[in-house]
């Protein structure tokens, strides 16, 4: 019985060695070398055989008698000694309160001083950068490759992502969603009447909930439950109504999508009519008191 | 030979008594005691594969154009960081194997910790004198989540960018100082300064691993110093004496086998099962996102929580006191960790049981703990599954708004139902134990009566 178990363990160890060699071969031979599956199988196999050998050893070949041991008990004498030692030291101070306050003050001040350099990590007090966007009146809307977007190219039933011409596309204030809606069904506030030429609207593409790109456009497939087109964020399902100034109609977002006023240039291209209706992206405490700048 | 080595070492370090103690350390035998070990071994694999990856990874957001092996990305602009990970996957021999093994190891690491935590909780192993050990374990779990998040975020692919955008929004949602905190961490408004990448990198490869490693050492030292807990046995004073297999020779091959076996599983997964194929997601751009995208499993509960919170900001006039992401992204996990961390102390108060416990409860022995634990677990699991609502949307075409309402309804009803049911089951099992004991006693009596001379 013992001899048989020993044979099994030896065989498992040989298999483990063979797999390890195979791994080196797979690695070294260029033709096979790029094959992650072979390498993983060989290395994992080698380890698995070794594990099996160890477990058989533990199960069959090694003495597994059980032993007992006392759980440790608290050493009360030592506790007592520590108590006394600390109490003795304390007795030597006559003005404990003063020293305690002074030490606390020194500790707190030094601690504050030591973490002060961390303030260089970012603009701590100035929150104005959060409201900045590259959009200005007259700045054209371009696609990823920088080609200006023409008003007559904007199809209903789908949406477009556009960026401000000549600006960094990766700024949170850059990307906008452009869609053509039925002008008769637009319900924008009165002061935004001129923001949607021919029914074309533009909103920030950054969700006001958690800054994901709102990249789903839901055109109504089933009017009773989905009466109008909607812009949906794939992260947490905030859903915005493009016909009603980006109003939240479902999900966790707390603010509407900021709208970008549009105009059509003489050449028929789309351009911004100004900055967004509000700060772009996720909310912070001051967000409702600030404007996009 | 070995003998001489032990002598030599002992003469210089006095290690022999310690060594003897370590070799005779008692391991009570139960499969569920091995879950923590799996986490430990996954951590070792993480460190080993992680060191290899740092030799190739470039923590830089500098722009470059890809001209490498993977055709579909050629000519595309991307960050150095993203390019270096595509290169690890395609051009470094065995690079993809190591990278995927690293990613799998992270997922298994957190999973093993969570299962270990459940074992500790439902058997009452967290009670005095091991409550400190428990808290340190919980802290490691708390640290491993941002550690994993930083790891897949610094790759700068589309998924990591979406995750960072959400993290940024949660930072911004901290009342009053959120905007300051967000800019401090990111160095500038999102997507942040270039130096943000170095911050993620140093957090991932240095700060968090050092913290986890240190706590791990303390955790193990505490486990060893108080000895393992054990299940109750007949005819043994389990409270005073621990019974089990000694570390050497009995336990050593088993534990080593488990270590090598864990490594085997991770390398097999890393070689055979694709994970996070970043070349398919593409480099991150602020204006892009995709549906059906999932973070690593251990952050699913946060995405779920952020989806399920009703859409409102707490405002005073025009001042936004609590922007919405705070609830799901920060308060919910803080609350969950607080409940788990404070439980031992709450239980001690409520049961007025301040004794030392070396013998474990079976879940049925503490019906209220088991029932409340199961109810709480149900709550967290439901939130977790809400994090995969987009998979259900993509795969089964269930409307997401319907799903959200179903989850909200379940969140209110299911934990209560599970708590009630679990308690009933525990009490039922206790009753059946009693019946068994009565029957055995009766049989014993009957046997004795039969044997007795008439």
């Amino acid at each position: 019985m013992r001899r048989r178990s020993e044979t099994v363990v030896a065989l498992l160890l040989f298999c483990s060695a063979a797999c390890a060699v195979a791994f080196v071969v797979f690695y070294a031979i260029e033709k096979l070398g790029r094959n992650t599956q072979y390498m993983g199988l060989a290395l994992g196999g080698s380890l698995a055989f070794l594990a099996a050998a160890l477990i058989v050893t533990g199960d069959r070949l090694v003495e597994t008698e059980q032993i007992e041991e006392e759980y440790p008990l608290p050493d009360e004498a030592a506790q007592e000694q520590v108590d006394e030692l600390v109490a003795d030291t304390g007795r030597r101070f006559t003005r404990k309160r003063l020293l305690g306050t002074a030490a606390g003050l020194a500790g707190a001040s030094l601690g504050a001083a030591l973490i002060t350099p961390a303030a260089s990590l970012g603009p701590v007090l100035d929150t104005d950068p959060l409201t900045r966007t590259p959009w200005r009146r007259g700045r054209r809307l371009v696609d990823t490759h920088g080609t200006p977007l023409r008003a007559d190219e904007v199809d209903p039933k789908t949406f477009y992502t556009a960026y401000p011409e000549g600006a960094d596309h990766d700024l949170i204030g850059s990307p906008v969603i452009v869609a053509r809606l039925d002008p008769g069904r637009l319900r924008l506030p009165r002061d935004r009447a001129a923001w949607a030429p021919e029914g074309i609207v533009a909103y920030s593409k950054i969700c006001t909930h958690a800054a994901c790109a709102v990249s789903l456009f839901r055109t109504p497939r089933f009017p009773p439950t989905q009466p109008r087109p909607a812009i949906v964020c794939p992260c947490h399902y905030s859903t915005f109504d493009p016909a009603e100034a980006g109003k939240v109609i479902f999900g966790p977002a707390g603010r509407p999508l900021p709208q970008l006023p549009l105009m059509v240039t003489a050449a028929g291209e789309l351009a911004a009519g100004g900055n967004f209706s509000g700060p772009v992206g996720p909310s912070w405490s001051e967000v409702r008191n600030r404007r996009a700048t | 030979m070995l003998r001489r080595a032990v002598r030599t070492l002992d003469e210089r370090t006095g290690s022999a008594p310690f060594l003897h103690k370590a070799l005779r350390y008692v391991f009570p035998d139960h499969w569920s005691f091995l879950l923590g070990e799996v986490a430990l071994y996954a951590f070792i694999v993480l460190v080993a594969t992680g060191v290899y990856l740092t030799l190739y990874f470039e923590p830089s957001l500098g722009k470059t154009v890809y001209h490498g092996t993977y055709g579909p990305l050629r000519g595309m602009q991307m960050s150095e960081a993203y390019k270096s990970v595509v290169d690890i996957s395609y051009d470094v021999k065995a690079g993809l194997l190591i990278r995927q093994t690293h990613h799998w190891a992270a997922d298994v690491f957190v999973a093993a910790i969570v299962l270990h935590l459940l074992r500790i909780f439902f058997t009452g192993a967290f009670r005095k004198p091991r409550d400190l050990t428990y808290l340190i374990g919980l802290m490691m779990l708390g640290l491993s989540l941002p550690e994993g998040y930083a790891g897949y975020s610094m790759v700068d692919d589309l998924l990591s960018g979406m995750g960072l955008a959400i993290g940024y929004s949660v930072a911004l949602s901290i009342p009053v100082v959120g905007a300051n905190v967000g800019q401090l961490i990111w160095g500038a408004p999102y997507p942040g300064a270039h130096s943000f990448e170095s911050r993620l990198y140093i957090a991932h490869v240095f700060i968090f691993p050092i913290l986890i490693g240190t706590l791990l050492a303390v955790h193990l030292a505490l486990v060893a110093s108080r000895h393992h807990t054990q299940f109750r046995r007949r005819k043994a004073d389990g409270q005073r004496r621990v019974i089990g297999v000694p570390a050497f020779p009995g336990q050593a091959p088993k534990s080593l086998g488990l270590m090598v076996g864990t490594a085997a599983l991770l390398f097999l997964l890393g070689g055979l099962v694709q994970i996070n194929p970043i070349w398919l997601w593409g480099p991150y751009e602020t204006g892009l996102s995709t549906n059906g995208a999932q973070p690593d499993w251990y952050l699913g509960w946060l995405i779920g929580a952020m989806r399920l919170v009703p859409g409102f900001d707490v405002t005073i006039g025009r001042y936004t006191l609590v922007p919405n992401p705070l609830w799901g992204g920060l308060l919910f996990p803080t609350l969950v960790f607080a409940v788990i961390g404070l439980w031992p102390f709450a239980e001690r108060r409520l049961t007025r049981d301040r004794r030392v416990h070396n013998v474990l409860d079976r879940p049925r022995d503490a019906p209220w703990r088991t029932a409340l634990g199961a109810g709480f677990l149900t709550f967290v699991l439901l939130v977790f599954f809400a994090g995969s609502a987009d998979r259900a949307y993509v795969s089964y075409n269930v409307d997401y708004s319907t799903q959200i309402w179903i989850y909200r309804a379940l969140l209110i009803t299911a934990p209560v139902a599970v708590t009630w049911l679990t308690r009933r089951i525990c009490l039922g099992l206790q009753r059946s134990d009693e019946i068994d004991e009565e029957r055995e006693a009766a049989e014993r009596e009957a046997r004795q009566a039969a044997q007795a001379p008439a």
Side-chain angles (χ1 to χ4, degrees), chain B residues 14-38:
Chain B
S15 61
F18 172 75
L19 200 61
H20 178 254
K21 233 180 146 179
L23 292 179
R24 301 308 281 177
Y25 182 81
V26 177
F27 283 92
D29 203 15
H30 195 269
W31 67 267
S32 68
F33 290 11
L34 299 175
L35 293 166
E37 279 190 41
V38 173

Side-chain angles (χ1 to χ4, degrees), chain B residues 337-373:
Chain B
F337 270 91
V339 167
I340 302 173
L342 293 175
W343 176 267
F345 309 99
E347 186 181 298
R348 205 148 61 189
R349 273 241 159 137
L350 293 173
T351 60
R352 299 218 178 82
D353 177 1
R354 290 164 205 283
R355 285 169 301 163
V356 163
H357 288 276
N358 291 322
V359 177
L360 295 173
D361 284 333
R362 287 176 308 169
R364 74 186 70 167
D365 299 334
W368 269 118
R369 179 204 299 145
T370 306
L372 288 172

Side-chain angles (χ1 to χ4, degrees), chain B residues 294-306:
Chain B
Q294 294 280 295
D296 276 71
W297 76 268
Y298 47 83
L299 293 179
W301 60 314
L302 300 184
I303 254 211
M306 290 179 75

Side-chain angles (χ1 to χ4, degrees), chain B residues 91-164:
Chain B
D91 295 311
V92 177
K93 262 190 185 179
L96 183 59
L97 173 67
I98 303 290
R99 202 193 122 228
Q100 293 196 138
T101 303
H102 188 72
H103 203 120
W104 272 115
D107 283 348
V108 169
F109 176 61
V110 187
I113 297 181
V114 170
L115 292 176
H116 178 55
L117 172 64
L118 291 176
R119 197 284 287 179
I120 298 288
F121 181 86
F122 284 110
T123 59
F126 54 80
R127 289 173 296 177
K128 196 167 118 183
R130 296 179 185 80
D131 36 9
L132 188 60
T133 321
Y134 172 81
L135 283 183
I136 289 172
L138 192 65
M139 280 161 75
M140 279 193 276
L141 176 59
L143 286 169
S144 64
L145 303 184
E147 164 68 348
Y149 176 69
Y152 76 73
S153 289
M154 66 190 198
V155 177
D156 197 38
D157 63 304
L158 182 55
L159 270 190
S160 59
M162 286 168 72
L164 284 174

